[in-house]
């Protein structure tokens, strides 16, 4: 029997249970190596609060015991590592977030991609619970209304299995639809069967057009096409250190066809990195060299 099953009810008051500096360093080093996410000392309280859920789920007595059991042994429990990463990631997202990007896609990128006459290939590379790829799908489906030959597909990926499960369901609290223009919502969002639940669902046609997959952008193995027309990787790089930012960006660009578009988040600065990109506007780029 391991320590975690033995202590099946906590004997420590959660509020007074903290990570020792050595344990925090161990978590931070592990998370950085596995995900690219930099956890500075300023994040310690947040990390503790997120890991408490895992302490309870595993029946550990303290944060220290959880860290020792999860990261201290010679054999790593990969199932628990998935849970730890799910707990640590920050998944804030919204429909039509940083809406200028979607205006750009509607006005410039979609017409240019449609003009090429072959299927447009799009990737939302840190898609969280799905608001970003479904917003993209709404914009592309709207473009296809006036351009019926326009065919498109979206790959949407994230490291967190929890957010991917939500994204695949495509069910959201009705308040999340506030930024969606009413006419767009009428076309692509279904009214709830039970209005008391306060939930809505993305229509089946859009759900079928988005393929969800787990991709860890810090890994060296991605099975993703290399002739994509547009990649969105927004509000992720801000959590990475400079070296990981450069590495991930170089690899993302290598999956774009020359002339393809890369859209980052408004806070994901890339200045100082030598990349084959031309800026087209705020955090919008075009791949320039092959
Ligand atoms: C703040 S959300 C941004 C969501 C969306 N792109 C947006 O801007 O609304 C960042 C997402 O990146 C994911 N993430 C963190 N590390 C990752 C990694 N190494 N590979 C892929 N996704 C990662 C998180 O799980 C989270 O869902």
């Amino acid at each position: 029997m391991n320590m975690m099953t033995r202590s099946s009810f906590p004997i420590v008051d959660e509020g007074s249970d903290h990570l020792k500096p050595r344990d925090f360093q161990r978590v931070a080093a592990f998370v950085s190596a596995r995900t690219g996410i930099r956890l500075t000392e300023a994040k310690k309280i947040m990390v503790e609060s997120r890991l408490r859920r895992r302490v309870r789920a595993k029946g550990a007595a303290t944060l220290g015991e959880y860290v020792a059991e999860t990261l201290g042994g010679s054999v790593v429990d990969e199932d628990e590592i998935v849970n730890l990463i799910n707990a640590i990631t920050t998944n804030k997202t919204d429909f039509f977030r940083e809406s200028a990007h979607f205006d750009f896609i509607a006005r410039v990128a979609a017409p240019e991609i449609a003009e090429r006459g072959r299927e447009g290939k799009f990737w939302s590379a840190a898609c969280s619970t799905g608001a970003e790829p479904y917003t993209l799908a709404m914009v592309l489906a709207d473009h296809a209304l006036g351009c019926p030959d326009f065919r498109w597909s979206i790959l949407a990926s994230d490291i967190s299995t929890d957010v991917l499960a939500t994204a695949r369901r495509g069910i959201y609290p009705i308040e999340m639809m506030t930024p969606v223009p009413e006419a767009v919502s009428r076309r692509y969002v279904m009214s709830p069967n039970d209005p008391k639940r306060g939930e809505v669902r993305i229509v089946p046609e859009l759900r079928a057009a988005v393929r969800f997959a787990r991709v860890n952008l810090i890994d060296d193995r991605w099975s993703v096409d290399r002739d994509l027309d547009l990649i969105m990787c927004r509000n992720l790089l801000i959590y990475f250190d400079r070296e990981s930012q450069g590495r991930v960006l170089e690899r993302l660009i290598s999956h774009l066809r020359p002339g393809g578009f890369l859209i980052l988040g408004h806070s994901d600065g890339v200045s100082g990195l030598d990349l084959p990109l031309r800026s087209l506007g705020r955090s919008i780029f075009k791949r320039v060299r092959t």
Side-chain angles (χ1 to χ4, degrees):
M1 189 187 284
N2 70 23
M3 276 159 70
M4 285 206 267
T5 41
R6 202 171 49 239
S7 348
S8 53
F9 47 89
I11 49 169
V12 174
D13 167 27
E14 276 189 355
S16 62
D17 180 26
H18 296 287
L19 283 169
K20 293 199 175 71
R22 195 188 41 153
D23 287 336
F24 177 72
Q25 286 315 323
R26 181 182 266 177
V27 173
F30 184 85
V31 168
S32 166
R34 281 292 185 104
T35 72
I37 297 169
R38 194 167 35 102
L39 295 174
T40 58
E41 197 60 34
K43 301 266 172 70
K44 185 164 173 282
I45 290 175
M46 181 204 81
V47 169
E48 288 174 344
S49 119
R50 291 182 179 185
L51 288 188
R52 280 191 187 111
R53 272 190 278 147
R54 295 313 311 155
V55 172
R56 283 193 294 273
K58 293 297 283 183
T62 62
L63 285 159
E65 185 178 301
Y66 171 78
V67 172
E69 283 287 311
T70 307
L71 304 179
S74 51
V75 180
V76 176
D77 173 356
E78 287 297 334
D79 289 342
E80 184 50 28
I81 297 308
V82 168
N83 293 327
L84 184 151
I85 291 173
N86 286 352
I88 289 291
T89 52
T90 297
N91 312 115
K92 185 195 158 17
T93 191
D94 286 309
F95 285 86
F96 286 89
R97 183 179 193 185
E98 297 175 357
S99 64
H101 291 156
F102 296 101
D103 293 343
F104 172 83
I105 293 169
R107 273 187 305 100
V108 180
E112 187 178 312
I113 293 165
E115 187 75 3
R116 291 167 56 81
R118 66 161 178 79
E119 179 183 298
K121 294 185 182 180
F122 296 78
W123 182 17
S124 165
C127 69
S128 189
T129 50
E132 180 176 283
Y134 287 133
T135 304
L136 178 59
M138 290 173 189
V139 170
L140 298 178
D142 265 2
H143 186 70
L145 290 177
C147 179
D149 291 338
F150 179 44
R151 288 171 300 114
W152 52 273
S153 62
I154 299 174
L155 165 66
S157 64
D158 202 282
I159 195 173
S160 160
T161 55
D162 281 349
V163 297
L164 287 170
T166 303
R168 284 192 184 99
R169 277 195 302 275
I171 297 175
Y172 300 95
I174 198 158
E175 307 83 61
M176 272 191 84
M177 295 301 147
T178 308
V180 181
E182 210 176 308
V184 176
S185 171
R186 269 201 300 275
R187 283 193 284 281
Y188 306 119
V189 181
M190 300 191 305
S191 305
N193 287 335
D194 176 3
K196 284 200 286 301
R197 289 178 67 94
E199 289 172 338
V200 291
R201 191 168 202 191
I202 304 300
V203 295
E205 298 84 322
L206 288 204
R207 279 187 275 128
V210 183
R211 182 169 68 86
F212 290 98
R214 184 174 193 247
V215 176
N216 179 354
L217 293 173
I218 216 73
D219 269 356
D220 286 333
R221 304 168 303 276
W222 311 341
S223 63
V224 175
D225 290 351
R226 291 189 167 271
D227 59 349
L228 303 183
D229 293 288
L230 186 148
I231 299 175
M232 306 186 91
C233 183
R234 305 185 312 156
N235 303 302
L236 165 65
L237 296 175
I238 190 173
Y239 299 104
F240 284 10
D241 62 32
R242 202 76 182 141
E243 197 250 316
S244 304
Q245 287 175 345
R247 195 149 56 92
V248 168
L249 279 168
E250 273 175 22
R251 297 204 47 230
L252 285 172
I253 295 165
S254 76
H255 286 262
L256 278 175
R257 64 167 176 78
F261 300 95
L262 175 68
I263 303 187
L264 304 177
H266 285 340
S267 322
D268 300 321
V270 294
S271 55
L273 294 169
D274 183 22
L275 298 165
L277 295 175
R278 178 160 61 88
S279 173
L280 299 182
R282 192 166 172 204
S283 50
I284 303 175
F285 304 89
K286 200 171 222 260
R287 178 177 177 176
V288 289
R289 293 192 298 267
T290 52

